[in-house]
Amino acid sequence: MNDASSGWLSTAAATLLPWARQAGLVADAREERRLAAMRLEVLAASALPRGDAQDVALAAQWAAFICWLDDQIGRRDLGSVPGELERFTAPLRHVLARDGEGATAANGRAVVLAWLWERTAAGMPARWRERLAADCTDFLSTCEEGVAVRRAGVRLPLADHNRLRRRTITLLPMLDILERTGHADLVEDPRVDSRLWDLRWAVADVADWANDLASQSDDAAAGQDNLVTLVARRDGISTALACRRVAAMLDERRANFAATAATLRATPDLAEHEVVGLRRYVDLVETFMTATLHWLAVTGRFTPEPAPPGSAAALTASSARDPRSTIENGTP
Protein backbone atom coordinates (compact mmCIF):
# COMPACT_ATOMS: atom_id res chain seq x y z
CA MET A 1 0.00 0.00 0.00
CA ASN A 2 1.45 3.37 -1.02
CA ASP A 3 1.69 6.46 1.20
CA ALA A 4 -1.41 8.06 -0.32
CA SER A 5 -3.63 5.01 0.18
CA SER A 6 -2.30 4.64 3.74
CA GLY A 7 -3.43 8.20 4.37
CA TRP A 8 -6.85 7.49 2.87
CA LEU A 9 -7.11 4.43 5.11
CA SER A 10 -6.50 6.59 8.19
CA THR A 11 -9.04 9.14 6.98
CA ALA A 12 -11.67 6.48 6.32
CA ALA A 13 -11.05 4.89 9.73
CA ALA A 14 -11.46 8.24 11.46
CA THR A 15 -14.67 9.18 9.62
CA LEU A 16 -16.51 5.84 9.33
CA LEU A 17 -17.65 5.52 12.94
CA PRO A 18 -19.04 9.08 13.24
CA TRP A 19 -20.88 8.55 9.93
CA ALA A 20 -22.27 5.20 11.13
CA ARG A 21 -23.51 6.85 14.33
CA GLN A 22 -25.24 9.57 12.36
CA ALA A 23 -26.73 7.02 9.96
CA GLY A 24 -28.07 4.91 12.83
CA LEU A 25 -26.02 1.83 11.93
CA VAL A 26 -24.58 1.65 15.46
CA ALA A 27 -26.63 2.28 18.57
CA ASP A 28 -24.32 1.59 21.50
CA ALA A 29 -20.71 1.03 22.52
CA ARG A 30 -20.88 -2.70 21.76
CA GLU A 31 -21.96 -2.07 18.17
CA GLU A 32 -19.30 0.62 17.80
CA ARG A 33 -16.61 -1.83 18.93
CA ARG A 34 -17.86 -4.41 16.48
CA LEU A 35 -17.86 -1.96 13.57
CA ALA A 36 -14.34 -0.83 14.43
CA ALA A 37 -13.21 -4.47 14.59
CA MET A 38 -14.56 -5.12 11.09
CA ARG A 39 -11.79 -2.89 9.65
CA LEU A 40 -13.88 -1.97 6.63
CA GLU A 41 -11.51 0.89 5.91
CA VAL A 42 -8.83 -1.77 5.23
CA LEU A 43 -11.12 -3.42 2.67
CA ALA A 44 -11.92 -0.11 0.96
CA ALA A 45 -8.35 1.21 0.88
CA SER A 46 -6.96 -2.12 -0.36
CA ALA A 47 -9.60 -2.34 -3.09
CA LEU A 48 -8.86 1.23 -4.22
CA PRO A 49 -5.07 1.64 -4.02
CA ARG A 50 -5.24 4.62 -6.40
CA GLY A 51 -8.48 6.08 -5.05
CA ASP A 52 -8.66 9.40 -3.26
CA ALA A 53 -9.94 9.98 0.27
CA GLN A 54 -13.54 10.54 -0.88
CA ASP A 55 -13.54 7.35 -2.98
CA VAL A 56 -12.21 5.23 -0.12
CA ALA A 57 -14.58 6.76 2.43
CA LEU A 58 -17.62 6.22 0.19
CA ALA A 59 -16.66 2.59 -0.48
CA ALA A 60 -16.20 2.00 3.26
CA GLN A 61 -19.61 3.54 4.00
CA TRP A 62 -21.27 1.26 1.46
CA ALA A 63 -19.48 -1.73 2.99
CA ALA A 64 -20.69 -0.72 6.47
CA PHE A 65 -24.27 -0.39 5.26
CA ILE A 66 -24.14 -3.74 3.45
CA CYS A 67 -22.66 -5.48 6.52
CA TRP A 68 -25.36 -3.89 8.66
CA LEU A 69 -28.07 -5.17 6.29
CA ASP A 70 -26.53 -8.63 6.28
CA ASP A 71 -26.46 -8.65 10.08
CA GLN A 72 -30.08 -7.56 10.32
CA ILE A 73 -31.18 -10.32 7.96
CA GLY A 74 -28.84 -13.14 8.94
CA ARG A 75 -27.51 -12.73 12.46
CA ARG A 76 -30.65 -11.35 14.09
CA ASP A 77 -32.90 -13.99 12.53
CA LEU A 78 -35.00 -11.41 10.71
CA GLY A 79 -37.63 -13.31 8.76
CA SER A 80 -38.44 -16.02 11.31
CA VAL A 81 -42.03 -14.78 10.97
CA PRO A 82 -43.52 -14.91 7.44
CA GLY A 83 -43.65 -11.46 5.84
CA GLU A 84 -41.27 -9.88 8.37
CA LEU A 85 -38.28 -9.69 6.04
CA GLU A 86 -40.40 -8.50 3.14
CA ARG A 87 -41.64 -5.61 5.27
CA PHE A 88 -38.04 -4.80 6.16
CA THR A 89 -36.85 -4.79 2.53
CA ALA A 90 -39.87 -2.96 1.03
CA PRO A 91 -38.57 0.60 1.74
CA LEU A 92 -35.19 -0.35 0.25
CA ARG A 93 -36.81 -1.75 -2.86
CA HIS A 94 -38.80 1.47 -3.17
CA VAL A 95 -35.62 3.57 -3.17
CA LEU A 96 -33.93 1.28 -5.71
CA ALA A 97 -36.93 1.34 -8.03
CA ARG A 98 -37.08 5.15 -7.91
CA ASP A 99 -33.40 5.80 -8.70
CA GLY A 100 -32.52 6.73 -5.14
CA GLU A 101 -35.67 8.61 -4.25
CA GLY A 102 -38.67 7.68 -2.16
CA ALA A 103 -37.10 7.43 1.32
CA THR A 104 -38.98 8.75 4.33
CA ALA A 105 -37.76 9.64 7.80
CA ALA A 106 -39.82 6.75 9.19
CA ASN A 107 -37.58 4.29 7.37
CA GLY A 108 -34.04 5.08 8.49
CA ARG A 109 -32.48 2.27 6.46
CA ALA A 110 -34.07 3.66 3.29
CA VAL A 111 -32.78 7.14 4.13
CA VAL A 112 -29.23 5.79 4.45
CA LEU A 113 -29.54 3.93 1.13
CA ALA A 114 -30.88 7.05 -0.58
CA TRP A 115 -28.01 9.11 0.82
CA LEU A 116 -25.43 6.62 -0.43
CA TRP A 117 -27.17 6.32 -3.78
CA GLU A 118 -27.21 10.09 -4.31
CA ARG A 119 -23.48 10.40 -3.69
CA THR A 120 -22.55 7.34 -5.71
CA ALA A 121 -24.84 7.62 -8.72
CA ALA A 122 -24.26 11.32 -9.44
CA GLY A 123 -22.88 11.62 -12.95
CA MET A 124 -23.01 7.90 -13.67
CA PRO A 125 -24.72 6.60 -16.85
CA ALA A 126 -28.19 5.09 -16.82
CA ARG A 127 -26.87 1.58 -17.60
CA TRP A 128 -24.70 1.66 -14.48
CA ARG A 129 -27.55 2.93 -12.30
CA GLU A 130 -29.82 0.18 -13.65
CA ARG A 131 -27.16 -2.47 -12.99
CA LEU A 132 -26.56 -1.34 -9.39
CA ALA A 133 -30.30 -1.21 -8.70
CA ALA A 134 -30.77 -4.68 -10.25
CA ASP A 135 -27.87 -6.20 -8.29
CA CYS A 136 -29.04 -4.68 -4.99
CA THR A 137 -32.63 -5.79 -5.65
CA ASP A 138 -31.45 -9.30 -6.51
CA PHE A 139 -29.54 -9.40 -3.21
CA LEU A 140 -32.72 -8.54 -1.31
CA SER A 141 -34.79 -11.07 -3.27
CA THR A 142 -32.25 -13.83 -2.72
CA CYS A 143 -32.06 -13.05 0.99
CA GLU A 144 -35.84 -13.46 1.14
CA GLU A 145 -35.56 -16.75 -0.75
CA GLY A 146 -32.85 -17.99 1.60
CA VAL A 147 -34.84 -17.05 4.71
CA ALA A 148 -37.89 -18.86 3.32
CA VAL A 149 -35.78 -21.96 2.71
CA ARG A 150 -34.42 -21.90 6.27
CA ARG A 151 -37.86 -21.26 7.73
CA ALA A 152 -39.19 -24.29 5.86
CA GLY A 153 -36.35 -26.42 7.21
CA VAL A 154 -35.15 -27.31 3.72
CA ARG A 155 -31.54 -28.44 3.31
CA LEU A 156 -30.38 -27.41 -0.13
CA PRO A 157 -28.05 -29.57 -2.22
CA LEU A 158 -24.54 -28.18 -2.55
CA ALA A 159 -25.00 -26.76 -6.06
CA ASP A 160 -28.24 -24.97 -5.12
CA HIS A 161 -26.63 -23.63 -1.94
CA ASN A 162 -23.72 -22.20 -3.93
CA ARG A 163 -26.02 -20.55 -6.48
CA LEU A 164 -28.02 -18.94 -3.70
CA ARG A 165 -24.99 -17.84 -1.69
CA ARG A 166 -23.11 -16.23 -4.58
CA ARG A 167 -26.07 -13.84 -4.91
CA THR A 168 -26.28 -12.99 -1.20
CA ILE A 169 -22.55 -12.40 -0.69
CA THR A 170 -23.07 -8.79 -2.02
CA LEU A 171 -19.98 -8.93 -4.27
CA LEU A 172 -21.85 -7.79 -7.37
CA PRO A 173 -23.26 -4.62 -5.75
CA MET A 174 -19.82 -3.86 -4.31
CA LEU A 175 -18.23 -4.36 -7.74
CA ASP A 176 -20.72 -1.86 -9.16
CA ILE A 177 -19.83 0.61 -6.40
CA LEU A 178 -16.10 0.10 -6.97
CA GLU A 179 -16.64 0.66 -10.67
CA ARG A 180 -17.71 4.17 -9.66
CA THR A 181 -15.21 4.82 -6.86
CA GLY A 182 -12.37 3.11 -8.78
CA HIS A 183 -13.15 4.98 -12.00
CA ALA A 184 -13.13 1.78 -14.07
CA ASP A 185 -16.27 1.44 -16.19
CA LEU A 186 -17.52 -2.00 -17.12
CA VAL A 187 -16.97 -2.54 -20.86
CA GLU A 188 -20.23 -3.79 -22.34
CA ASP A 189 -19.61 -5.61 -25.63
CA PRO A 190 -21.01 -8.95 -26.86
CA ARG A 191 -17.46 -10.17 -27.48
CA VAL A 192 -16.55 -9.97 -23.79
CA ASP A 193 -19.87 -9.97 -21.93
CA SER A 194 -19.94 -13.69 -21.07
CA ARG A 195 -16.32 -13.73 -19.88
CA LEU A 196 -16.87 -10.63 -17.76
CA TRP A 197 -19.83 -12.32 -16.10
CA ASP A 198 -17.67 -15.39 -15.54
CA LEU A 199 -15.11 -13.11 -13.88
CA ARG A 200 -17.71 -11.44 -11.68
CA TRP A 201 -19.24 -14.77 -10.64
CA ALA A 202 -15.78 -16.20 -9.94
CA VAL A 203 -14.84 -13.40 -7.57
CA ALA A 204 -18.22 -13.79 -5.85
CA ASP A 205 -17.59 -17.53 -5.39
CA VAL A 206 -14.06 -16.95 -4.09
CA ALA A 207 -15.30 -14.44 -1.52
CA ASP A 208 -18.26 -16.65 -0.57
CA TRP A 209 -16.19 -19.79 -0.05
CA ALA A 210 -13.49 -17.91 1.84
CA ASN A 211 -16.22 -16.31 3.95
CA ASP A 212 -17.64 -19.75 4.74
CA LEU A 213 -14.21 -20.96 5.84
CA ALA A 214 -13.89 -17.91 8.07
CA SER A 215 -17.36 -18.15 9.60
CA GLN A 216 -17.66 -21.94 9.83
CA SER A 217 -17.49 -22.07 13.64
CA ASP A 218 -19.88 -19.13 14.01
CA ASP A 219 -22.39 -20.64 11.57
CA ALA A 220 -22.17 -24.04 13.25
CA ALA A 221 -22.88 -22.45 16.64
CA ALA A 222 -25.95 -20.77 15.13
CA GLY A 223 -27.11 -24.05 13.55
CA GLN A 224 -26.70 -22.71 10.02
CA ASP A 225 -25.35 -24.67 7.08
CA ASN A 226 -22.50 -23.31 5.05
CA LEU A 227 -20.22 -24.74 2.38
CA VAL A 228 -18.05 -26.58 4.90
CA THR A 229 -20.94 -28.35 6.62
CA LEU A 230 -22.53 -29.23 3.27
CA VAL A 231 -19.30 -30.76 1.95
CA ALA A 232 -18.86 -32.68 5.22
CA ARG A 233 -22.43 -34.01 5.01
CA ARG A 234 -22.25 -34.86 1.31
CA ASP A 235 -18.95 -36.70 1.56
CA GLY A 236 -19.42 -38.16 5.04
CA ILE A 237 -16.21 -36.60 6.37
CA SER A 238 -15.05 -34.60 9.38
CA THR A 239 -15.25 -30.82 9.57
CA ALA A 240 -11.44 -30.57 9.43
CA LEU A 241 -11.27 -32.60 6.22
CA ALA A 242 -14.18 -30.65 4.76
CA CYS A 243 -12.24 -27.43 5.43
CA ARG A 244 -9.32 -28.81 3.44
CA ARG A 245 -11.59 -29.76 0.55
CA VAL A 246 -13.22 -26.33 0.52
CA ALA A 247 -9.76 -24.74 0.55
CA ALA A 248 -8.86 -26.86 -2.50
CA MET A 249 -12.08 -25.77 -4.22
CA LEU A 250 -11.14 -22.19 -3.42
CA ASP A 251 -7.70 -22.61 -4.99
CA GLU A 252 -9.24 -24.07 -8.14
CA ARG A 253 -11.78 -21.24 -8.41
CA ARG A 254 -8.99 -18.68 -8.03
CA ALA A 255 -7.11 -20.42 -10.84
CA ASN A 256 -10.24 -20.22 -13.01
CA PHE A 257 -10.49 -16.53 -12.19
CA ALA A 258 -6.85 -15.94 -13.21
CA ALA A 259 -7.37 -17.77 -16.52
CA THR A 260 -10.48 -15.73 -17.33
CA ALA A 261 -8.70 -12.49 -16.43
CA ALA A 262 -5.77 -13.38 -18.70
CA THR A 263 -8.13 -14.18 -21.59
CA LEU A 264 -9.94 -10.87 -21.16
CA ARG A 265 -6.70 -8.89 -21.10
CA ALA A 266 -5.69 -10.55 -24.40
CA THR A 267 -9.06 -10.07 -26.12
CA PRO A 268 -8.46 -9.16 -29.79
CA ASP A 269 -10.58 -7.04 -32.16
CA LEU A 270 -11.58 -4.35 -29.69
CA ALA A 271 -11.01 -0.65 -30.24
CA GLU A 272 -7.97 0.73 -28.43
CA HIS A 273 -10.03 2.66 -25.87
CA GLU A 274 -12.08 -0.49 -25.19
CA VAL A 275 -8.92 -2.54 -24.60
CA VAL A 276 -7.67 0.06 -22.12
CA GLY A 277 -11.03 0.17 -20.35
CA LEU A 278 -11.35 -3.60 -20.28
CA ARG A 279 -7.92 -4.07 -18.73
CA ARG A 280 -8.61 -1.35 -16.17
CA TYR A 281 -11.83 -3.09 -15.15
CA VAL A 282 -10.18 -6.53 -14.94
CA ASP A 283 -7.45 -4.98 -12.77
CA LEU A 284 -10.13 -3.51 -10.50
CA VAL A 285 -11.89 -6.85 -10.05
CA GLU A 286 -8.61 -8.67 -9.44
CA THR A 287 -7.53 -6.08 -6.86
CA PHE A 288 -10.89 -6.33 -5.14
CA MET A 289 -10.60 -10.12 -4.89
CA THR A 290 -7.15 -9.83 -3.33
CA ALA A 291 -8.39 -7.10 -0.97
CA THR A 292 -11.37 -9.21 0.08
CA LEU A 293 -9.21 -12.23 0.92
CA HIS A 294 -6.84 -10.04 2.91
CA TRP A 295 -9.74 -8.42 4.73
CA LEU A 296 -11.29 -11.79 5.61
CA ALA A 297 -7.97 -12.74 7.21
CA VAL A 298 -7.85 -9.62 9.45
CA THR A 299 -11.45 -8.63 10.13
CA GLY A 300 -13.13 -9.14 13.46
CA ARG A 301 -16.52 -9.42 11.75
CA PHE A 302 -16.79 -13.13 12.49
CA THR A 303 -15.43 -12.98 16.02
CA PRO A 304 -18.15 -13.51 18.65
CA GLU A 305 -18.38 -11.24 21.67
CA PRO A 306 -15.90 -12.43 24.35
CA ALA A 307 -17.38 -14.82 26.90
CA PRO A 308 -16.91 -14.10 30.62
CA PRO A 309 -13.41 -15.17 31.78
CA GLY A 310 -13.28 -18.71 33.11
CA SER A 311 -16.56 -19.77 31.47
CA ALA A 312 -16.80 -22.95 29.41
CA ALA A 313 -17.36 -20.85 26.28
CA ALA A 314 -14.25 -18.80 26.94
CA LEU A 315 -12.13 -21.92 27.48
CA THR A 316 -13.48 -23.47 24.27
CA ALA A 317 -12.85 -20.29 22.30
CA SER A 318 -9.27 -20.02 23.55
CA SER A 319 -8.47 -23.52 22.30
CA ALA A 320 -10.32 -23.30 18.98
CA ARG A 321 -8.36 -22.81 15.80
CA ASP A 322 -9.29 -19.68 13.81
CA PRO A 323 -10.10 -20.68 10.21
CA ARG A 324 -9.37 -17.15 8.99
CA SER A 325 -5.65 -17.87 9.34
CA THR A 326 -5.92 -20.37 6.48
CA ILE A 327 -7.70 -18.25 3.92
CA GLU A 328 -4.83 -16.49 2.22
CA ASN A 329 -2.71 -19.58 1.66
CA GLY A 330 -5.67 -21.91 1.21
CA THR A 331 -4.26 -24.65 3.46
CA PRO A 332 -6.09 -25.57 6.69
Side-chain angles (χ1 to χ4, degrees):
M1 187 176 293
N2 59 38
D3 292 341
S5 57
S6 295
W8 305 155
L9 189 155
S10 299
T11 301
T15 59
L16 183 59
L17 185 55
W19 174 83
R21 288 194 196 103
Q22 183 179 8
L25 303 186
V26 294
D28 54 34
R30 176 180 173 276
E31 292 181 357
E32 290 181 4
R33 289 195 302 271
R34 185 161 187 266
L35 177 61
M38 288 185 195
R39 302 187 68 186
L40 294 171
E41 69 280 357
V42 171
L43 175 62
S46 299
L48 299 168
R50 289 179 292 277
D52 62 21
Q54 290 75 25
D55 292 331
V56 173
L58 183 58
Q61 288 164 354
W62 269 105
F65 179 66
I66 287 172
C67 286
W68 179 85
L69 274 182
D70 186 59
D71 284 349
Q72 297 298 308
I73 295 169
R75 293 176 178 266
R76 300 191 179 182
D77 203 25
L78 186 64
S80 57
V81 177
E84 182 182 23
L85 179 56
E86 289 77 7
R87 288 189 292 273
F88 177 83
T89 61
L92 302 173
R93 290 177 177 276
H94 190 60
V95 170
L96 294 169
R98 294 172 60 88
D99 196 23
E101 299 179 356
T104 67
N107 292 299
R109 57 193 175 278
V111 172
V112 178
L113 176 59
W115 186 92
L116 289 167
W117 183 280
E118 179 185 354
R119 281 149 186 78
T120 311
M124 294 299 287
R127 292 289 293 272
W128 178 88
R129 299 160 82 101
E130 292 166 3
R131 184 166 63 253
L132 177 58
D135 287 339
C136 288
T137 301
D138 184 65
F139 161 70
L140 297 176
S141 297
T142 311
C143 285
E144 291 168 5
E145 181 182 347
V147 165
V149 166
R150 290 197 298 274
R151 192 167 56 230
V154 175
R155 285 184 164 178
L156 293 176
L158 184 60
D160 291 342
H161 168 86
N162 284 342
R163 279 193 291 269
L164 192 70
R165 282 286 294 147
R166 66 162 37 166
R167 293 165 57 205
T168 59
I169 198 68
T170 67
L171 263 289
L172 295 188
M174 277 305 300
L175 277 173
D176 298 333
I177 293 155
L178 292 172
E179 183 182 337
R180 149 68 173 84
T181 55
H183 309 285
D185 297 339
L186 175 69
V187 174
E188 298 185 74
D189 187 291
R191 290 167 289 185
V192 297
D193 284 346
S194 63
R195 289 193 181 95
L196 279 172
W197 272 104
D198 287 344
L199 194 77
R200 285 160 64 89
W201 285 130
V203 76
D205 286 343
V206 166
D208 176 24
W209 300 352
N211 181 77
D212 275 10
L213 275 174
S215 63
Q216 184 273 324
S217 297
D218 207 15
D219 289 339
Q224 295 180 356
D225 280 342
N226 75 11
L227 183 58
V228 174
T229 53
L230 286 173
V231 168
R233 185 183 304 136
R234 182 196 65 181
D235 297 345
I237 58 178
S238 68
T239 297
L241 183 54
C243 282
R244 288 196 286 272
R245 291 192 181 175
V246 171
M249 291 169 57
L250 183 58
D251 285 344
E252 182 178 3
R253 198 68 173 114
R254 291 177 71 178
N256 293 340
F257 175 93
T260 301
T263 300
L264 283 166
R265 289 190 176 101
T267 300
D269 303 327
L270 291 178
E272 183 177 354
H273 74 279
E274 289 178 311
V275 170
V276 172
L278 181 61
R279 290 175 179 171
R280 183 183 298 121
Y281 184 80
V282 171
D283 288 346
L284 176 80
V285 178
E286 193 168 52
T287 300
F288 180 45
M289 186 180 74
T290 301
T292 300
L293 293 175
H294 171 66
W295 174 71
L296 283 168
V298 302
T299 182
R301 176 162 166 71
F302 307 108
T303 303
E305 283 289 301
S311 68
L315 294 173
T316 300
S318 68
S319 62
R321 190 158 178 256
D322 188 347
R324 283 190 299 274
S325 65
T326 70
I327 287 173
E328 291 193 285
N329 61 27
T331 306

